[in-house]
Each structure stands twice: as structure tokens, then as C-alpha cells.
Amino acid sequence: MTQLLIATHNQGKLREFAQILAQLKLDLLTLDDLGISTEVEETGTTFAENAQLKATAYMRLSGLPALADDSGLEVAALDGAPGVYSARYGGVTGQAQLDYLLKQLEGIPFHARLARFVCVIALAHPDGAIEFAEGFLPGVIEFAPRGTGGFGYDPLFYVLDDDLTLAEMPAERKNQISHRAAAARAASETLARWQADGKL
Ligand code: ITT
């Protein structure tokens, strides 16, 4: 078996995983490829719990080894919020969600707007094996969105080393430094081991 299901309904994540994992000798399939439209309820209180819920559910639905991530933004001045609730923060999406975050940070100066992106990947194998990998990216929440690349909070996430928001950077650069790239590199080691063991 050389197939791996990239189990996400988020097209931004899907694009990134496809690029980051391209060098693996695996046949990467999507939920759309398999006609799976089921949304898994994210009832966990940690990134790892939610990643495991998604990876296990989609592994069972497809019968294939599945990779899922749970990821999000942690803002220090907001005690780590929105965290695992990043996708539904403020009960809104898109530009309204960026506005909501900016409102929460009103009056907070640049030096106190420290944040990080977190990504926890779960890999679930039909034989019952489950493995985790995590990655982080530090940054600062900007005062206004800039850039059109990426997805989600990227236009507000300023990376000091690059002097750019994630949405201003070329996709290739984001995919070198991101929380998702770091987690995917660690997950690649598990996948290589599974391949060596004949599990993939
Ligand atoms: P799936 O569960 O189908 O994978 P989702 O969008 O619901 O898709 P999550 O529950 O993991 O995924 O929520 C992650 C949210 O965190 C995502 O919707 C964005 O708002 C934010 N996020 C995660 N990674 C990001 C990134 O690289 N850039 C910008 N925002 C990101």
C-alpha cells in the first residue's frame, strides 16, 4: 500500500501538505478524491486530541492510512486564545474573523502582540497505530492585514526574520518555515519508518 489520505476539508492546508510532502514516494489522496464529505466534530480540548479524532475517523471511513492536523493561532496577550478554537473564533470567518482578532488586541502595542502558530499532525494506520508530530512558528500580530497569499490568519501574522506577513511571502517560503512544515517534516520520519516496515 503506498496511498496516504490527506484528511482535511481546508483547501489552504491541502495545498500546503501537497507541496510539503511532494518528495515522499507516496500516492497522496484527498477527501474529495474519495468522495468523503463527512465533517468530524472537533470535541477535543487540545490540538493532539482533535488531530487524533480527525485522523482516526477518516482512516476508518477510507480504510487508508490518514494524516490529519489540528492547528491554530495562540496569542500571548489573549492567554493563548483562539488556540483550538481558531477556525470558529468570534463565531465568524474570513475578513470578519481578522477584524474580530484585531478588536481583541485594540490598544496593545507591537511588542506585546507575540503569537505563535501551532500544528499537531496525527497519523492513523488501519492496523491501529497512531503517531503524532508537532511544529511551531513564532510571530507578531500586525495592526492591519497585509498580503493575499496563504489562508486564515496569514495576513495578520508578521514573521520577524522575513519582515513580511505570511500572506506576503511566496508559498514556497511559508512551506519552509511554517508550523505545518515543521510538523510534516517530523511526520515524514514516521512515514519513512512505516514504508520500511512495509506498512505503506
Ligand atoms: P480541517 O479540520 O478540515 O483540517 P479546519 O480549517 O477546520 O480544517 P482546524 O480545525 O485545524 O482546521 O482549524 C485551524 C484554523 O487555524 C484554520 O481554520 C485557520 O483559521 C487557523 N490556521 C491554522 N494554520 C494556519 C495557517 O498556516 N495560516 C493561517 N491560519 C491558520
Side-chain angles (χ1 to χ4, degrees), residues 7-14 16-17 31 38-40 42 47 50-51 54 58 68-73 82-89 93 97-98 117-120 137 150-155 157 166 174-175 178-180:
T8 177
H9 287 296
N10 180 319
Q11 297 305 308
K13 283 187 187 179
L14 193 58
E16 293 184 5
F17 276 127
L31 293 170
T38 312
E39 289 274 358
V40 174
E42 298 181 29
F47 290 111
N50 284 333
K54 289 188 264 190
Y58 291 120
D69 89 349
D70 196 45
S71 47
L73 181 68
V84 292
Y85 306 108
S86 293
R88 44 201 146 130
Y89 189 45
T93 55
Q97 196 168 52
L98 302 188
F117 271 121
V118 181
C119 175
V120 177
L137 176 67
F151 67 96
Y153 298 94
D154 283 350
F157 195 88
L166 280 178
K174 180 183 175 188
N175 291 335
S178 79
H179 50 308
R180 188 160 294 101

Side-chain angles (χ1 to χ4, degrees), residues 17 20-21 23-24 67 119-123 131-136 178-194:
F17 276 127
I20 296 166
L21 298 172
Q23 75 279 16
L24 295 178
L67 177 155
C119 175
V120 177
I121 288 177
L123 288 166
E131 302 237 12
F132 296 92
E134 64 181 8
F136 303 91
S178 79
H179 50 308
R180 188 160 294 101
R185 275 194 292 273
S188 299
E189 291 173 22
T190 298
L191 292 168
R193 183 158 31 83
W194 283 4

